[in-house]
């Protein structure tokens, strides 16, 4: 039933109660000014509200303020404040995302040297379906390895590297500020772990303090590119042979936005960033979806071999977020065919997130780290390549348990990005893509960067890394082991229901040595293996028809 005119008028006044009240107060102030002129000061407040109400009422862009003049803007205000109110008032210690308050607090406490012990037992629900734990031994190890390292190198390596079990994952200068890059490298130097440059090139801020570097080369070939964006071998050689660059890495994809490439907004492309990357200042910097230098698994390995030769024999690796399993097996077949063996592979979990990304890619594309690690571990072990090619895991790692979990699943070491950002001051404001980071970590705004003192935050970053590795060592000793590399899937228990828990090797399949070479049809990967071909990333078989036929045979049996 439609309102009568009086009802409509009353409804309009209710919705415009703020400017209507301001108008009434304005009239009252003018009337009272005949008695005392001081009442006119009230107009300083009321008249702007009246003017704003008139504007809102007659503007044609926003429905909420057109129907609720001034009041609609209060909704906007609280909408903008919602993330902060939720973080500081609403969320509990364990359920915040992407990192809980408990996780952020642990990183900050360790970075600042505060106590990281807790009283009165765990607050976690040990009956929850996602709860997992490390099985300890009744005979713990008295003398675990106090500084666990991983040898990175094989028979093709002239300059092998000894890596820490926890390192700084790929974050580019440009995405992060100069001060943040310096702080992270100070930490790497102080803590004797490596600092991955990200795909933005090797800047002066990476080299200023002498921390070990892994130079990541993405599809934009920043720092080693021609004017048209192709790979420049001479430029690559000059940088890769620096003593500070310990390894190089081909970035195929990243967990935050696999298959998307990336873009640094023109507003963040300063003169310095343009010089480091070899691009134009002030223009959007695009990383293509794919590489120009290769298009097949064999060509990719030949490119990796070229990088190793140009660097003087330093380890070269691949970094990817896993998508199609047959592509992983295509790489394995290409390695076996060519004999070119990269020294390491970094698996980036789909939960990764330092790079801003379209929400659909961030939420729904890319294999999570657990499944990605297991697949890559099975590919390497199943082809007999694990001894020559080390495996690293990267994705939402901030604690000793995160390290232990990934190493038990097959990783030799782990890389972390967001937790290292937190160690140098990040508070998870999630404004990285807007150049308005409140702590100076992910911004090119000089005034905002001023808040981050590299010499202070660098020490905190190293302290966080050391305390986290110490926590891993404690867990390894509790399991009765000397070195993290001894952790195996059966050391991890995972609850699969309110009344049951299973070791990880009974939840996931872990292949025996060389079975993919000898009897791939006996594995759960038989279809993917058959589809893989070293000369192309495309499938060699029609997976739909192959699986339909297999399913029909199963049904008939």
């Amino acid at each position: 039933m439609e309102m009568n005119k009086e009802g409509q008028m009353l409804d309009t006044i209710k919705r415009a109660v703020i400017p209507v009240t301001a108008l009434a107060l304005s009239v009252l102030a003018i009337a009272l000014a005949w008695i005392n002129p001081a009442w006119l000061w009230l107009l300083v407040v009321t008249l702007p509200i009246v003017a704003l109400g008139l504007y809102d009422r007659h503007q044609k862009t926003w429905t909420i303020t057109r129907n609720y003049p001034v009041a609609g803007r209060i909704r906007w205000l609280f909408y903008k404040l919602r993330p902060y109110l939720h973080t500081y008032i609403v969320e509990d210690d364990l359920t915040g995302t992407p990192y809980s308050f408990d996780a952020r607090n642990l990183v900050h406490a360790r970075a600042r040297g505060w106590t990281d012990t807790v009283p009165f037992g765990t607050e976690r629900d040990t009956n929850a379906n996602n709860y997992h734990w490390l099985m300890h031994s009744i005979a713990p190890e008295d003398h675990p390895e106090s500084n666990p390292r991983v040898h990175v190198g094989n028979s093709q390596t002239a300059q092998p590297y000894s890596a820490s079990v926890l390192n700084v994952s790929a974050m580019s200068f440009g995405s992060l500020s100069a001060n943040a890059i310096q702080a992270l490298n100070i930490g790497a130097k102080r803590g004797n772990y490596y600092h991955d440059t990200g795909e933005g090139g090797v800047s002066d801020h990476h080299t200023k303090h002498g921390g070990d570097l892994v130079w990541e080369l993405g599809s934009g070939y920043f720092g080693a590119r021609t004017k048209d964006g192709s790979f420049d071998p001479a430029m690559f050689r000059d940088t890769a042979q620096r003593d500070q660059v310990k390894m190089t890495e081909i970035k195929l994809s990243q967990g935050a936005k696999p298959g998307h490439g990336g873009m640094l907004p023109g507003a963040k492309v300063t003169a310095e960033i343009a010089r480091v990357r070899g691009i134009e200042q002030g223009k959007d910097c695009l990383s293509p979806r794919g590489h120009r230098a290769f298009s097949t698994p064999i060509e990719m390995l030949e490119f990796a071999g070229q990088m190793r030769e140009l660097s003087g024999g330093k380890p070269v690796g691949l970094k990817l977020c896993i998508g199609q399993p047959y592509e992983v097996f295509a790489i394995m077949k290409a390695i076996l065919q060519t004999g070119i063996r990269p020294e390491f592979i970094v698996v980036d979990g789909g939960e990764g997130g330092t790079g801003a990304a379209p929400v659909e890619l961030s939420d729904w594309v890319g294999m999570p780290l657990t499944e990605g690690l297991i697949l890559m571990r099975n590919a390497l072990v199943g082809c007999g390549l694990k001894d020559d090619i080390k495996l690293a895991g990267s994705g939402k790692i901030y604690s000793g348990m995160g390290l232990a979990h990934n190493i038990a699943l097959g990783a030799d070491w782990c890389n972390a990005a967001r937790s290292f950002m937190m160690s140098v001051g990040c508070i998870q404001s999630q404004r990285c893509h807007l150049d308005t980071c409140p702590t100076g970590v992910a911004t090119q705004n000089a005034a905002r960067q001023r808040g981050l003192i590299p010499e202070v935050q660098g020490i905190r970053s190293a302290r966080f890394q050391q305390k986290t590795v110490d926590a891993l060592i404690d867990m390894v000793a509790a399991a009765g082991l000397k070195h993290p590399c001894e952790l195996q899937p059966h050391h991890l228990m995972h609850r699969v229901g309110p009344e049951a828990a299973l070791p990880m090797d009974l939840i996931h399949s872990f292949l025996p040595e060389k079975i993919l070479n000898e009897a791939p049809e006996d594995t759960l990967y038989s279809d993917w293996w058959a589809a893989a071909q070293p000369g192309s990333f495309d499938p060699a078989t029609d997976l739909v028809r192959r699986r339909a036929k297999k399913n029909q045979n199963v049904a008939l049996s």
Side-chain angles (χ1 to χ4, degrees):
M1 182 181 295
E2 294 185 2
M3 289 185 182
N4 57 33
K5 290 185 178 180
E6 291 183 359
Q8 290 181 9
M9 180 61 69
L10 181 60
D11 178 62
T12 299
I13 293 173
K14 285 181 179 180
R15 288 187 282 107
V17 63
I18 294 177
V20 167
T21 302
L23 178 61
L25 290 174
S26 299
V27 173
L28 179 62
I30 293 171
L32 292 175
W34 293 98
I35 302 172
N36 185 347
W39 281 101
L40 293 175
W41 282 105
L42 184 60
L43 299 179
V44 175
V45 176
T46 60
L47 288 182
I49 295 176
V50 172
L52 184 60
L54 289 172
Y55 170 79
D56 284 348
R57 176 69 178 168
H58 292 93
Q59 58 82 34
K60 298 179 180 180
T61 304
W62 308 108
T63 57
I64 187 69
T65 54
R66 187 171 170 86
N67 282 340
Y68 293 86
V70 182
R73 293 177 179 271
I74 298 175
R75 175 186 177 276
W76 289 351
L77 173 64
F78 278 93
Y79 197 80
K80 290 182 178 180
L81 291 175
R82 182 180 181 275
Y84 309 104
L85 296 175
H86 187 271
T87 297
Y88 296 115
I89 298 174
V90 178
E91 78 174 31
D92 63 26
D93 289 356
L94 300 177
T95 60
T97 57
Y99 280 75
S100 67
F101 175 79
D102 180 74
R104 303 193 305 269
N105 204 39
L106 177 63
V107 174
H108 291 148
R110 286 179 170 167
R112 295 166 186 172
W114 300 346
T115 181
D116 56 359
T117 58
V118 295
F120 231 64
T122 183
E123 294 185 10
R124 298 181 184 275
D125 181 3
T126 58
N127 293 316
N129 288 349
N130 62 349
Y131 184 72
H132 55 276
W133 67 93
L134 183 75
M135 290 195 288
H136 68 284
S137 171
I138 202 169
E141 172 60 48
D142 287 333
H143 303 289
E145 177 62 55
S146 60
N147 182 29
R149 310 291 293 187
V150 179
H151 177 82
V152 189
N154 54 41
S155 61
Q156 300 174 357
T157 314
Q159 300 185 56
Y161 179 66
S162 177
S164 172
V165 293
L166 178 60
N167 305 279
V168 181
S169 192
M171 294 179 285
S172 301
F173 171 53
S175 296
L176 297 192
S177 69
N179 286 3
I181 293 293
Q182 288 191 40
L184 291 171
N185 199 256
I186 288 172
K189 176 67 173 178
R190 189 180 182 93
N192 194 24
Y193 51 90
Y194 77 66
H195 177 191
D196 194 311
T197 65
E199 65 174 312
V202 180
S203 71
D204 296 340
H205 308 292
H206 286 102
T207 59
K208 182 177 181 180
H209 301 284
D212 290 354
L213 296 176
V214 171
W215 182 15
E216 181 181 271
L217 204 68
S219 57
Y221 307 119
F222 301 124
R225 61 185 264 139
T226 61
K227 288 185 178 181
D228 70 350
S230 299
F231 176 66
D232 187 320
M235 290 183 67
F236 176 82
R237 180 194 61 230
D238 292 343
T239 299
Q241 290 192 7
R242 295 182 188 178
D243 290 341
Q244 194 176 345
V245 177
K246 303 301 182 182
M247 303 191 290
T248 61
E249 173 182 279
I250 303 171
K251 174 194 169 184
L252 302 173
S253 58
Q254 67 186 88
K257 45 189 172 184
H260 184 264
M263 187 185 74
L264 185 67
K268 296 181 75 172
V269 181
T270 63
E272 183 180 23
I273 291 172
R275 175 178 59 80
V276 171
R277 296 195 176 201
I279 57 176
E280 291 188 57
Q281 179 183 353
K283 292 189 177 181
D284 291 345
C285 174
L286 177 66
S287 298
R289 295 180 188 272
H291 281 259
R292 284 191 187 185
F294 56 84
S295 60
T296 70
I298 289 177
E299 290 175 355
M300 182 187 70
L301 290 173
E302 291 172 345
F303 182 64
Q306 180 187 13
M307 287 173 57
R308 179 163 51 206
E309 182 180 355
L310 290 169
S311 71
K314 295 177 182 179
V316 61
L318 311 175
K319 180 249 183 108
L320 74 162
C321 177
I322 292 177
Q324 297 285 0
Y326 62 76
E327 295 174 340
V328 171
F329 296 126
I331 295 172
M332 298 301 113
K333 287 185 176 182
I335 292 172
L336 293 172
Q337 179 173 316
T338 63
I340 300 171
R341 301 193 173 186
E343 283 81 355
F344 66 97
I345 295 175
V346 179
V347 173
D348 205 18
E351 60 270 47
T354 58
V359 67
E360 288 81 5
L361 290 177
S362 183
D363 286 351
W364 308 112
V365 179
M367 193 176 290
L369 182 56
T370 292
E371 288 74 15
L373 264 181
I374 293 172
L375 175 59
M376 187 61 76
R377 176 265 176 208
N378 283 340
L380 290 170
V381 172
C383 291
L385 297 171
K386 185 65 171 63
D387 290 340
D388 284 344
I389 303 174
K390 295 298 187 291
L391 179 58
S394 176
K396 210 171 183 179
I397 298 162
Y398 66 90
S399 69
M401 182 58 189
L403 293 174
H405 181 271
N406 293 323
I407 292 173
L409 296 181
D412 293 288
W413 76 80
C414 294
N415 295 338
R418 285 172 289 183
S419 54
F420 271 105
M421 288 174 65
M422 293 176 194
S423 76
V424 298
C426 169
I427 59 172
Q428 193 174 275
S429 65
Q430 297 176 273
R431 305 186 68 82
C432 313
H433 58 305
L434 300 175
D435 204 32
T436 56
C437 171
T439 59
V441 174
T443 178
Q444 298 308 308
N445 184 306
R448 290 175 178 268
Q449 287 189 50
R450 179 183 177 277
L452 197 164
I453 309 299
E455 291 73 17
V456 173
Q457 300 298 339
I459 294 173
R460 291 178 176 178
S461 182
R463 189 184 292 126
F464 156 72
Q465 193 269 358
Q466 184 61 62
K467 283 181 169 287
T468 304
V469 172
D470 288 346
L472 169 66
I473 294 169
D474 283 343
M475 299 184 77
V476 168
L481 309 173
K482 291 188 74 71
H483 193 284
C485 68
E486 298 175 61
L487 288 167
Q488 297 296 324
H490 66 261
H491 288 116
L492 292 177
M493 291 290 288
H494 196 288
R495 192 171 293 286
V496 294
E499 297 177 353
L502 293 171
M504 288 295 281
D505 60 348
L506 294 183
I507 297 174
H508 297 277
S509 294
F510 292 85
L511 299 187
E513 185 85 7
K514 296 186 178 180
I515 191 171
L516 289 173
N517 297 340
E518 299 165 356
E521 67 278 359
D522 293 340
T523 74
L524 76 164
Y525 302 115
S526 59
D527 292 342
W528 302 114
W529 181 261
Q533 52 183 334
S536 175
F537 284 112
D538 294 329
T541 62
D542 187 332
L543 283 164
V544 174
R545 295 183 61 185
R546 179 184 175 92
R547 291 192 166 191
K549 184 176 180 180
K550 178 181 289 189
N551 291 338
Q552 184 181 25
N553 292 337
V554 170
L556 291 174
S557 63

